[in-house]
Amino acid sequence: MKRIAVFLLLVTSALSGFAQSASPVAPVPPSPAERSMGQAQKLIDKNPKDYEAYNALALALSRRARETSDVVFYAKAEEALQKSFSISTANFDGERIHVWLLLGKHEFAAVLEAARKLNQRMPDDVMVYGFLTDANVELGNYKDAETAAQWMLDLKPGNMPGLTRAAYLRELFGDIDGSIELMNMAYDSTPPTEVEDGAWVLNQMADLKLATGNIQDAESLSQKALAMFPGYHYALGNLAKVRIQQKRYTEAVDLLKQRYQSAPHAENLFELAQALQLAGQTEEAERAFAEFERKSLLETHRADNSNHELIFYYADYAKQPLRALEVAQREYARRHDVFTLDCYAWALHLNGRNQEARQQIIIALEVGIRDARMLRHAGEITLAMGDRVAAEGYLRQSAELHAAGSEEASATLARLNQSLTARGSR
């Protein structure tokens, strides 16, 4: 927050010299969450004993946390909830928002337990099924997640939260076209005034396009999201990925610096460090990696952490496979989603435990996901096991996606073909 405040102060100072001649700057309109915060506060001022008004404020603050990626708003939301519960103990809406806040803090096991209890109290509440979906996805319980998402759509056909969750499951199951179709339906159902919701959906579609190498559409969707919600940190990240795929590394660095300025989280710093390295800014990249490691280690034992990035930092950049495995084992003890399984498998592989690594990566891929980096890891692990035919199959699938991770898969395939040609010419 201090860096952001200094940045704003510098901007204000730079503009003050033009106050005499420049045209007045139109005030920035409040975001949807800010409008909701203001409305809730008016209700509280009118009646300080209205627990529903405190619930509304807590929900608005949690939405503001997503808009800004500032976790301070989660703490403020919890304060508002405590006031709600002090007026009406264990009221259902307050308990539901409490689960939402647990999701924001990545307390997935606690979310699952709390959501099950709420589901017993109110079996036809759509959003409770949404929480069940989210928690089960993050814990790797995909069948249960699919059941909960279907309940959302059965209870209220075409609702946006249900559509977006179903879309994410389609992606995990390898049905990218189906996921995009559902995301389009969600976007069409988003009110024009909910600009952050709309930008979020556009950004999810951009991410799907990136996963399949459709860079042009990913760029268009990311820019549309930024036009809808200027400075949106998620869209800045996706547009940077587009620039990296286009090998416009300096532009990617600029975008990721903007994102880190507004959302100074460790995982965002890791992606900035990677981009700096690609741009040839070696010294700055080294400083960014070092700062990332420091920040990531501070949160590694918390639920809301950057352990996936820390694993890949130790595995692929710091070349410390034992530390990568230590972090991977810690995260694996908490959750078994496909991305954690991939991290764990890669760390096992780099420590020479290829049989275990192969078991984990196969479990991940059996869900159906088509992720270029994951498929490349499967290829490298399988190759280390001596199964060249299967390895080439994984690597070819990765290369055909033309996404992040595909270039490394193509390079490995080229080396394999070169070695085969060399042996054949002897």
Side-chain angles (χ1 to χ4, degrees), residues 386-397:
D387 190 344
R388 177 169 178 149
V389 174
E392 287 181 339
Y394 288 129
L395 293 167
R396 196 170 295 110
Q397 289 180 64

Side-chain angles (χ1 to χ4, degrees), residues 7 79 89 94 119 151 180 211 214 222 252 271 278 288 345 359 381 390 424:
F7 174 75
E79 291 175 6
T89 305
N119 186 240
W151 268 108
I180 291 172
N214 191 334
S222 298
E271 291 191 19
L278 289 170
Q359 290 173 354
I381 292 166

Side-chain angles (χ1 to χ4, degrees), residues 12 14-26:
T12 304
L15 290 174
S16 62
F18 298 95
Q20 297 293 330
S21 57
S23 301
V25 178

